[in-house]
Amino acid sequence: MLDYVHALNAIDEAMRVAIPSLERLADLLGLARSRRISRSDHIGAYSYTVHGAGCRFVSDNGTEVDVDFAADRSEVFDLWRLRRYGLSLPVTVDVTDEDLRSAVRSLQPLLAEVRPGWFSVAEIASG
């Protein structure tokens, strides 16, 4: 579960380096819709495909991170996306929905359920 979050963060960093105008990963949707970038391409160590409300990234080693974007442009994901990530790892990880739910619950408050079955990395207030 944390590996998915780390992979998503690595993708965010790589995309921002490759596309300097990118403020948030969700900005890929607008860039693709306005045809300033292709809906699918290969940038650095990742290929990407923009779809509906999100984007699917595949690293050069075949690891897949699929993410949707909420109205506030935050990254959101569900159990299906987490399972796809696990199945795409070089050493496959296949877990049940219940195990995934338990893992998500164990990572609160790092992960927040933003709507039933959908999760986001929580914004941690600095103080």
Side-chain angles (χ1 to χ4, degrees), residues 63-83:
T63 301
E64 176 183 317
V65 174
D66 195 319
V67 63
D68 273 8
F69 302 106
D72 67 359
R73 299 179 358 183
S74 63
E75 294 99 5
V76 296
F77 47 89
D78 59 359
L79 298 180
W80 180 83
R81 283 165 177 73
L82 293 172
R83 172 170 289 112

Side-chain angles (χ1 to χ4, degrees), residues 43-100:
I43 295 178
Y46 301 96
S47 62
Y48 72 89
T49 304
V50 171
H51 60 73
C55 196
R56 177 178 173 253
F57 299 92
V58 180
S59 70
D60 286 344
N61 73 359
T63 301
E64 176 183 317
V65 174
D66 195 319
V67 63
D68 273 8
F69 302 106
D72 67 359
R73 299 179 358 183
S74 63
E75 294 99 5
V76 296
F77 47 89
D78 59 359
L79 298 180
W80 180 83
R81 283 165 177 73
L82 293 172
R83 172 170 289 112
R84 296 262 316 185
Y85 170 78
L87 293 173
S88 73
L89 292 170
V91 176
T92 300
V93 176
D94 189 8
V95 294
T96 66
D97 277 355
E98 191 50 46
D99 287 341
L100 284 171

